[in-house]
Amino acid sequence: YFGPVWYVSNNGSDVNGRGSEASPFASIQKGIDFANAGDTVLINPGVYSTNNAIYDKNIILGSRFLTTGDISFISNTIIDGGGEGCPLMVYGNINDSCRVTGLTIQNGTTGCVYGQGGGIYVEGSNPRLDNLIIKNNRSTNFGGGMHIVSSPTLENIILKNNEADELGGGLYIAMGSNPTMNNIQIIGNTAVHGGGIFISENAQATLNNTLIVENYQSAENPNNTIFNFEGYATIETNGSSIQLDGCTIANNNSTGILLRNGSNLTL
């Protein structure tokens, strides 16, 4: 079997499976490894293990939502980060023809890279991520739900109940990044700074039609003096630029928006 669609199922086998619909693989990573540029890895409903990475491949990774438009597949096709490991990394030489869609990513416990990105870590690439639920993940550093070191497009994503020990409970946008976010829900996330979002130096973020509610600040970490500065907020920017259009910021347990070090805000 030579693709171009590679099938993954809880009933499949990484030993005997060929990746076809009749003989699927058992793990997502096996499908990614066999896929070539332009191919699709199609995941059947079920719960799949952590440690999945798309590296230097412009492929599409998605649930049956991709082929049917049925949103029930989003909540029923799960990457579970229970135990140590990285639920999903997307990195390397990747452009916007790479897409991740129709999945729930949950229970990441440590972060993907040095404690960064509890659910998803995106670096050096500009993929499209859409129709995802990213919930109940934790990073020991930055980006409880997602950590971005690039300029992806994010659409129709729920970031819910994620936690970062330091910065960016829902989302951390690293230095020099320039993501565009449409129709995002950032709900009930927690961090010391930037309970919903933290945007680092020389980054630019555009948020359209985004809901940012019920996010929290956690107690200051006494062992970390680097970011022990006054003030907390749901959205914190540090020497960066942010544009908000049609967004709702409400009922957060801290200041709504805090601009530091010459940050620019357009509402």
Side-chain angles (χ1 to χ4, degrees):
Y1 182 74
F2 300 102
V5 179
W6 302 90
Y7 294 87
V8 178
S9 171
N10 283 162
N11 297 321
S13 170
D14 283 352
V15 177
N16 299 316
R18 295 180 296 148
S20 65
E21 188 168 16
S23 179
F25 296 131
S27 70
I28 294 172
Q29 190 60 51
K30 189 77 170 182
I32 294 172
D33 291 343
F34 271 75
N36 295 307
D39 287 358
T40 296
V41 179
L42 191 62
I43 309 167
N44 284 308
V47 179
Y48 297 88
S49 63
T50 190
N51 291 322
N52 301 288
I54 300 173
Y55 173 66
D56 273 355
K57 285 187 177 183
N58 289 309
I59 63 173
I60 297 173
L61 176 69
S63 70
R64 292 278 181 174
F65 166 81
L66 178 65
T67 56
T68 67
D70 185 342
I71 62 172
S72 68
F73 286 112
I74 300 173
S75 58
N76 292 328
T77 312
I78 300 167
I79 299 176
D80 193 284
E84 293 190 5
C86 174
L88 181 62
M89 284 183 63
V90 184
Y91 67 113
N93 185 21
I94 289 173
N95 60 38
D96 59 6
S97 67
C98 178
R99 181 185 179 193
V100 178
T101 184
L103 303 170
T104 291
I105 298 171
Q106 66 184 32
N107 298 331
T109 57
T110 56
C112 290
V113 179
Y114 302 113
Q116 301 171 113
I120 300 180
Y121 183 91
V122 182
E123 179 176 348
S125 58
N126 304 314
R128 175 186 173 191
L129 288 79
D130 65 272
N131 294 285
L132 304 173
I133 299 172
I134 304 168
K135 66 177 184 177
N136 301 330
N137 300 286
R138 173 177 174 263
S139 70
T140 57
N141 199 322
F142 306 158
M146 182 184 299
H147 187 110
I148 293 173
V149 194
S150 57
S151 303
T153 299
L154 312 180
E155 296 181 318
N156 302 320
I157 293 175
I158 297 173
L159 289 154
K160 186 174 183 180
N161 297 337
N162 302 288
E163 179 181 359
D165 287 1
E166 299 296 345
L167 311 179
L171 175 64
Y172 180 87
I173 299 171
M175 181 184 299
S177 299
N178 185 17
T180 298
M181 292 168 274
N182 303 313
N183 301 316
I184 310 297
Q185 297 182 41
I186 302 172
I187 304 170
N189 304 284
T190 304
V192 174
H193 291 280
I197 305 172
F198 192 97
I199 306 173
S200 191
E201 298 91 341
N202 298 316
Q204 299 180 42
T206 301
L207 286 80
N208 302 310
N209 301 316
T210 292
L211 179 68
I212 305 169
V213 298
E214 299 176 1
N215 299 284
Y216 299 89
Q217 66 184 52
S218 54
E220 185 74 71
N221 183 347
N223 298 318
N224 185 343
T225 59
I226 296 175
F227 296 99
N228 185 15
F229 37 58
E230 294 181 0
Y232 305 85
T234 295
I235 302 173
E236 292 194 36
T237 68
N238 186 32
S240 57
S241 299
I242 182 171
Q243 177 176 305
L244 304 175
D245 186 358
C247 298
T248 297
I249 304 168
N251 297 339
N252 298 287
N253 183 28
S254 59
T255 300
I257 303 172
L258 179 58
L259 308 175
R260 304 182 184 279
N261 298 328
S263 293
N264 297 305
L265 170 65
T266 302
L267 291 173

